[in-house]
Amino acid sequence: MDLHYDLLIRNAMVIDGTRRPRFAGDIGVRDGRIADIGLLAAARAEIEIDAHGKIAAPGFIDAHTHDDRLLSSDPAMTPKVSQGVTSVVIGNCGISLAPLVDAAPPPPLDLIDDGGAYRFPDFASFLEELEGRPAASNAACLVGHTTLRVAAMSRLDRAATAAETARMQEMAREALAAGAVGLSTGTYYPPAAHATTEEIIAVAQPLKDYGGRYVTHMRHEDDRIAESMEETFRIGREVGVPVFISHHKVVGPRNHGRSAETLALLAKAGERQSVCLDCYPYNASSTILRADRIALSSRILITWSKPHPEFAGMELAQAAGRLGLSQEQAVASLSPAGAIYFSMDETDVQRILQFDETMVGSDGLPHDLKPHPRLWGTFPRVLGHYCRDLGLFPLETAVYKMTGLTARNFGLKERGVLKAGYWADITLFDAAGIGDAASFEAPTLPARGIDSVIVNGVPVWREGRSTGARPGRVLRAGAAKERAANA
Ligand code: ZN
Ligand code: CU
């Protein structure tokens, strides 16, 4: 055994991401990969980290993000790296930056735009830019159906014509050939709400040829959720690919408790097809501001507003009062805008998180003025609040839900598990001290208890701050196709 490494983590308690019980060990890293795990007391390295009293886990994989533009606007990826996240899945909810050239795209595409972000005529040029100017974290990329619709259709208030569907299918194929790991939809949102199930099945056809995934923010998460789940399962079966239900939740007081039913549906569907889901650990959601959420929510907080940025952080009811308008009228005068909706039941959140197949995904919105705290707090909140404090599951399971399970579901080869030969994405944290600090009142506070974060063998977070290193790569579903980001 060669006892010299680039980086050596000593005296760690290793949780390897497979759910196997923790064990004491050292981790030797060479050329970006884990060379050895075991007792390496005699070894030496350029960089040595004493992890006494700390957990060494695979770097967390954020299964659901809208970090598409954050990767270039804040390549240090502070909201994510500070939580121990080493890889993000971007392009969710039908929203991807490519392929689309549009100076003023309709909501919800504006969630990740500040004007001029949609400037990639094809997916390959987007990935080229990501690889040419790497971020601190890795990224696996989905292509968004809503983006395709905006690019291919002259009007969005109808189903696509045969020619438009063919065009979208061709663009989806180009994205997958370039390295997208799947297609996402957001039929909840107006620009995609008129898409028929048949349109989606047609656009998704190339997924089968490329081993891609179908990932969806479903049409309904409230009264008609079961129907939307059936539509999702049907799309997966007809295309012949795994389906992912994004940020699974049941919305509105009438539906509280129905996760018992939806999880049973998921388990049943899982007997005949591949079904995955992600969840964020909060009982409030966040997206664009919409009047149809008023009746479903006990409280609504404004996260941003183009015409009235001064209302960010304020309750909608209070903003309406100031404007002398009803809440419905206030939505119209504040839009385009974003909001946080208190519309879920805590029992449902916990039941969904506990479900065996549930991955952790933040769904954070990094460009909101007063974002939902999930952007900065998701992973430490699962590890601290839900795992340690409430005892929802053992720490090994919590780690698995944010590492090994996610890598397996997305086909991210040689990631998500601490194992010799795998890429060295590693997070060191303090199991007793880890916790989310971000709150609805102060949503951008970094988490507590993250010690060090290593991406592809390179430390990106030490002693509570970014190191400035940007070793992130674009992750393709299959290691052979993965190219070095900074080759
Ligand atoms: Zn969504
Ligand atoms: Cu989302």
Side-chain angles (χ1 to χ4, degrees):
M1 194 189 290
D2 179 352
L3 291 177
H4 195 270
Y5 300 107
D6 299 335
L7 184 144
L8 179 61
I9 297 166
R10 293 187 186 279
N11 308 314
M13 191 53 75
V14 179
I15 293 185
D16 72 358
T18 64
R19 269 192 292 196
R20 158 186 183 195
R22 68 195 79 178
F23 58 92
D26 311 312
I27 304 172
V29 171
R30 196 180 298 122
D31 298 329
R33 291 178 183 263
I34 296 169
D36 298 291
I37 303 182
L39 300 174
L40 308 169
R44 291 286 171 268
E46 308 306 314
I47 304 171
E48 299 195 5
I49 300 176
D50 182 13
H52 181 80
K54 305 280 187 319
I55 302 287
F60 308 147
I61 303 170
D62 192 340
H64 185 113
T65 84
H66 296 284
D67 292 342
D68 306 56
R69 184 163 69 84
L70 190 70
L71 288 160
S72 53
S73 69
D74 176 13
M77 295 290 286
T78 318
K80 296 304 168 70
V81 164
S82 63
Q83 294 181 59
V85 169
T86 56
S87 298
V88 295
V89 179
I90 63 170
N92 281 284
C93 300
I95 308 164
S96 62
L97 282 181
L100 176 66
V101 179
D102 193 330
L109 298 193
D110 55 352
L111 283 174
I112 53 170
D113 189 27
D114 63 338
Y118 289 90
R119 57 189 168 77
F120 301 98
D122 49 47
F123 213 81
S125 57
F126 171 64
L127 293 187
E128 233 163 71
E129 177 152 314
L130 269 187
E131 293 184 316
R133 286 197 276 153
S137 49
N138 304 307
C141 313
L142 302 167
V143 59
H145 167 247
T146 301
T147 296
L148 298 181
R149 277 195 130 229
V150 174
M153 294 178 64
S154 56
R155 286 174 51 185
L156 297 164
D157 58 351
R158 55 165 173 77
T161 63
E164 288 163 345
T165 303
R167 177 77 191 110
M168 286 192 273
Q169 189 191 86
E170 186 188 316
M171 288 190 290
R173 182 175 298 281
E174 183 271 330
L176 292 160
V181 300
L183 171 78
S184 76
T185 57
T187 38
Y188 164 74
Y189 296 104
H194 292 273
T196 60
T197 310
E198 289 69 27
E199 172 187 320
I200 295 166
I201 290 169
V203 174
Q205 282 305 318
L207 289 174
K208 176 101 189 165
D209 302 333
Y210 290 90
R213 280 111 184 108
Y214 174 66
V215 181
T216 182
H217 177 161
M218 300 187 297
R219 275 182 214 279
H220 307 289
E221 296 178 308
D222 48 18
D223 302 0
R224 295 162 71 186
I225 188 166
E227 179 190 318
S228 290
M229 292 175 73
E230 290 306 337
E231 181 190 28
T232 302
F233 300 149
R234 180 186 153 205
I235 293 167
R237 283 197 308 274
E238 296 207 11
V239 182
V241 295
V243 297
F244 289 57
I245 293 179
S246 294
H247 42 61
H248 185 43
K249 58 174 156 317
V250 277
V251 168
R254 276 195 301 273
N255 300 301
H256 287 175
R258 286 187 66 195
S259 60
E261 172 197 342
T262 60
L263 294 175
L265 282 175
L266 268 160
K268 188 147 183 286
E271 290 168 10
R272 61 172 175 167
Q273 66 189 103
S274 173
V275 184
C276 311
L277 69 157
D278 62 75
C279 178
Y280 51 78
Y282 296 87
N283 59 12
S285 65
S286 183
T287 183
I288 50 175
L289 181 63
R290 281 176 57 153
D292 65 354
R293 299 273 106 176
I294 295 171
L296 295 169
S297 310
S298 59
R299 187 177 162 221
I300 296 177
L301 288 174
I302 297 157
T303 52
W304 59 277
S305 163
K306 273 259 164 68
H308 290 288
E310 69 276 15
F311 288 142
M314 195 184 284
E315 293 210 17
L316 175 64
Q318 195 186 348
R322 295 251 181 120
L323 292 165
L325 300 170
S326 70
Q327 291 198 49
E328 284 75 10
Q329 291 167 326
V331 167
S333 99
L334 292 167
S335 292
I340 291 166
Y341 304 96
F342 292 84
S343 60
M344 289 179 244
D345 178 36
E346 179 62 24
T347 310
D348 284 323
V349 174
Q350 293 187 17
R351 194 185 284 135
I352 293 168
L353 275 176
Q354 269 185 299
F355 186 67
D356 236 24
E357 298 297 319
T358 303
M359 304 178 278
V360 178
S362 70
D363 200 11
L365 295 169
H367 311 296
D368 288 9
L369 274 177
K370 271 275 197 171
H372 188 302
R374 67 196 184 188
L375 174 66
W376 287 81
T378 288
F379 293 83
R381 183 168 170 82
V382 169
L383 297 167
H385 178 64
Y386 284 111
C387 171
R388 182 193 57 230
D389 299 345
L390 299 188
L392 278 197
F393 28 61
L395 189 56
E396 284 80 353
T397 300
V399 167
Y400 169 72
K401 285 172 170 292
M402 48 186 80
T403 59
L405 177 64
T406 317
R408 188 194 74 196
N409 286 348
F410 279 100
L412 307 177
K413 300 272 162 56
E414 302 172 340
R415 307 263 175 197
V417 173
L418 295 181
K419 186 175 170 181
Y422 276 36
W423 288 98
D425 293 343
I426 305 169
T427 291
L428 303 181
F429 67 90
D430 168 15
I434 195 158
D436 55 310
S439 64
F440 290 96
E441 293 69 37
T444 60
L445 296 176
R448 296 179 298 265
I450 297 291
D451 182 86
S452 305
V453 182
I454 293 154
V455 174
N456 296 315
V458 178
V460 296
W461 187 264
R462 297 282 330 253
E463 286 153 8
R465 69 165 68 112
S466 167
T467 64
R470 289 170 191 178
R473 296 176 181 220
V474 170
L475 306 184
R476 294 172 162 86
K481 291 190 210 151
E482 191 180 310
R483 280 184 281 154
N486 40 10

